[in-house]
Amino acid sequence: MPAMEAKIIHITIERNWREVYAFAAKPENMPLWASGLASGLEPDGEDWVARGALGNARVRFTPFNDFGVLDHLVTLETGLQVQNALRVIPNGSQAEVMFTLLKQPGMSNEQFDSDADWVQKDLNALKERLEA
């Protein structure tokens, strides 16, 4: 399979990176800033279940770690799996939050741009919440 087109979407948050990571790494907090999970997540074994208008999605998060890695694998009811790479890294006394968005097979440029805008909106919400 050829490499997918990728966009790295990032934001600087004026908080210590460990505080940003500790908040963002809790699945219970994701509905507070990740609008695609606004209905919440319910634990189910090692996974979490997100219920939405397009059906349920299973989400498996990387275990809490010392490196700021927040990767998560989303499995849709169709069986499609989407790997989401999310990182929090130190930048002086602040944090950089970076999401790598991959253009999925069959996705139009418009859909890809729309997804990128959605991710940026969510990162902006995370920033607003943590800088308040």
Side-chain angles (χ1 to χ4, degrees), residues 48-59:
W48 291 75
V49 176
R51 303 192 190 290
L54 300 176
N56 297 339
R58 298 190 70 75
V59 185

Side-chain angles (χ1 to χ4, degrees), residues 8-17 19-21 24 33 68 70 85-91 94-100 119-120 122-124 126-127 130:
I8 298 173
I9 304 153
H10 86 282
I11 198 161
T12 302
I13 298 178
E14 294 183 27
R15 289 280 297 266
N16 178 279
W17 79 275
E19 293 172 359
V20 173
Y21 177 74
W33 61 275
L70 293 164
L86 181 59
R87 305 285 190 278
V88 179
I89 64 166
N91 183 359
Q94 301 176 25
E96 294 295 328
V97 181
M98 297 170 288
F99 185 95
T100 303
V119 171
Q120 187 67 63
D122 286 350
L123 294 182
N124 291 341
L126 179 63
K127 177 182 175 75
L130 291 175

Side-chain angles (χ1 to χ4, degrees), residues 11-75:
I11 198 161
T12 302
I13 298 178
E14 294 183 27
R15 289 280 297 266
N16 178 279
W17 79 275
R18 290 187 185 278
E19 293 172 359
V20 173
Y21 177 74
F23 179 84
K26 292 181 181 173
E28 301 92 329
N29 289 341
M30 287 198 125
L32 300 174
W33 61 275
S35 60
L37 302 174
S39 65
L41 291 165
E42 298 173 16
D44 184 21
E46 293 182 13
D47 296 341
W48 291 75
V49 176
R51 303 192 190 290
L54 300 176
N56 297 339
R58 298 190 70 75
V59 185
R60 177 156 301 174
F61 294 95
T62 299
F64 195 85
N65 59 80
D66 292 328
F67 305 105
V69 176
L70 293 164
D71 291 3
H72 49 287
L73 176 67
V74 177
T75 304

